[in-house]
Amino acid sequence: MSGVNVDDRDSRAVPGGSPVASAGHERRASIAVVMPAYNEADRIEQTLASIARYFGEHDVDWPIVLADDGSTDGTVERATTAARRLELPLRLLTFEHRGKAATVRDAMLAVAAETEVDYLMMLDADDELPISQLDHISWSADARTIYIGRRVAETHGSQGVMPTPLRRLMSGTMRLASRVLLGLTYPDTQCGFKLFPRDYARALFGRQWTTGWVFDAELLAIATRVLRLPVQEVEVTWQPRGESKVGASAMLVSGLAMLGVGVRFRLGLYDRPRRPKPARSRLSST
C-alpha cells in the first residue's frame, strides 16, 4: 500500500498541535467545529449553548459549521435563531438527505477548502459528547495526529452512561469486524468525537467510499494503512439524549459494508483519492 503523496496535503494549513510553538511563543491550535445533523431540532439549541459556554470559558472564536443532511423538522431554523442569540459564528452547509457518511465527507472537504484552521472536529449535534471534552486531550507534538473519542464510564471527574446491551452488542460486532477485516485495534471507532488535521482532509476524506455507518472505521483504516497518520484515543463520557437512530438491522448491513471496505483495500482502491463529484449544497452564514 502506497503512502500519501505530498501533493494531497493542503499547503495552506498551519502545522497543528496544541499548543503550537510559533516564533518563540505558544499558540493554541485552531479548530473548525463541523456538526453533521439530521432532524436534531429538539437538541441543537442545547448543543450550541454548550459550545458557546466552552468558547467563552476558553476565549476562542472558532468557526462552527452545521452540516444539515436535509432535515425536515426545523433544525436549521432553530440553530440559526440560537446562534444569533448566543452570538456564535455559525455557518450553514445544507445538503439533500443522503445520510451521515456522505454529509460528513462533503462537509469536511468544503470546510477544509475554505478555512485556515489547524484541525477539523467532527462533533455530533446531539450534545451527547460535549465539546468541553476537548480538555481531555493530551496533545501530541506530531501535527499529523488524529484524535478519536473512546467512551468510558468515568474520566477526569466526569460521569458517563454505559450503552444498553443492544448497543454494546453492536459495538462489539463492529469492533470484531474492524479488527479482523481492517486490522484496527481501536475499541470505539464509531464515537462521534473526532479531530482531523486539516492539511490531510483532502487526502483522507477524498478517499472515502462508504456511505453507511462504517465510514468511521473506513476513515481510520485509510488514515493508518494508507496515509500512515498517527491516531490517539481520548477518553470521553457519553450522556445519551433521546432514542438511538441506529437499529439492530444495522449490524448486518454494517458487517457487509465492512467486508466491502476490506475488499477495496485488497484491490488497492484507496491508493489515490477518488475526488467524488461535489454534492449540491449551500454554505451560508447566520
Side-chain angles (χ1 to χ4, degrees), residues 124-200:
D124 283 348
D126 52 21
D127 204 37
E128 293 184 350
L129 294 158
I131 191 173
S132 59
Q133 298 191 92
L134 279 172
D135 294 344
H136 299 176
I137 296 177
S138 296
W139 294 92
S140 170
D142 190 337
R144 303 171 305 132
T145 302
I146 292 173
Y147 299 90
I148 64 172
R150 176 167 60 87
R151 287 166 285 193
V152 296
E154 189 276 334
T155 185
H156 295 80
S158 175
Q159 297 290 328
V161 175
M162 295 308 293
T164 63
L166 175 59
R167 291 192 70 133
R168 287 200 297 271
L169 175 61
M170 294 172 64
S171 296
T173 301
M174 288 289 292
R175 183 164 57 249
L176 178 61
S178 63
R179 179 186 290 270
V180 173
L181 297 173
L182 305 182
L184 297 176
T185 59
Y186 312 109
D188 195 1
T189 59
Q190 306 308 110
C191 182
F193 184 100
K194 293 182 173 69
L195 286 91
F196 304 93
R198 189 195 65 84
D199 50 342
Y200 282 93

Side-chain angles (χ1 to χ4, degrees), residues 42-161:
D42 291 339
R43 301 187 282 190
I44 191 63
E45 293 180 63
Q46 177 177 328
T47 304
L48 291 172
S50 294
I51 293 173
R53 184 165 52 251
Y54 184 83
F55 279 19
E57 292 171 351
H58 292 75
D59 192 26
V60 295
D61 191 27
W62 297 328
I64 310 166
V65 178
L66 179 68
D68 185 73
D69 183 29
S71 295
T72 58
D73 67 343
T75 294
V76 170
E77 292 76 12
R78 288 202 182 184
T80 300
T81 300
R84 287 173 178 164
R85 184 181 72 252
L86 296 166
E87 299 182 344
L88 283 175
L90 180 68
R91 303 188 72 186
L92 302 173
L93 188 59
T94 55
F95 299 95
E96 297 177 352
H97 181 55
R98 301 166 302 148
K100 182 179 180 180
T103 296
V104 168
R105 179 195 64 203
D106 291 344
M108 288 293 189
L109 290 171
V111 175
E114 296 196 14
T115 63
E116 299 287 346
V117 298
D118 301 320
Y119 289 95
L120 305 178
M121 179 181 192
M122 184 180 80
L123 181 69
D124 283 348
D126 52 21
D127 204 37
E128 293 184 350
L129 294 158
I131 191 173
S132 59
Q133 298 191 92
L134 279 172
D135 294 344
H136 299 176
I137 296 177
S138 296
W139 294 92
S140 170
D142 190 337
R144 303 171 305 132
T145 302
I146 292 173
Y147 299 90
I148 64 172
R150 176 167 60 87
R151 287 166 285 193
V152 296
E154 189 276 334
T155 185
H156 295 80
S158 175
Q159 297 290 328
V161 175

Side-chain angles (χ1 to χ4, degrees), residues 231-243:
V231 175
Q232 182 172 310
E233 293 180 285
V234 181
E235 289 189 345
V236 296
T237 53
W238 177 61
Q239 296 290 343
R241 306 184 192 282
E243 295 294 326

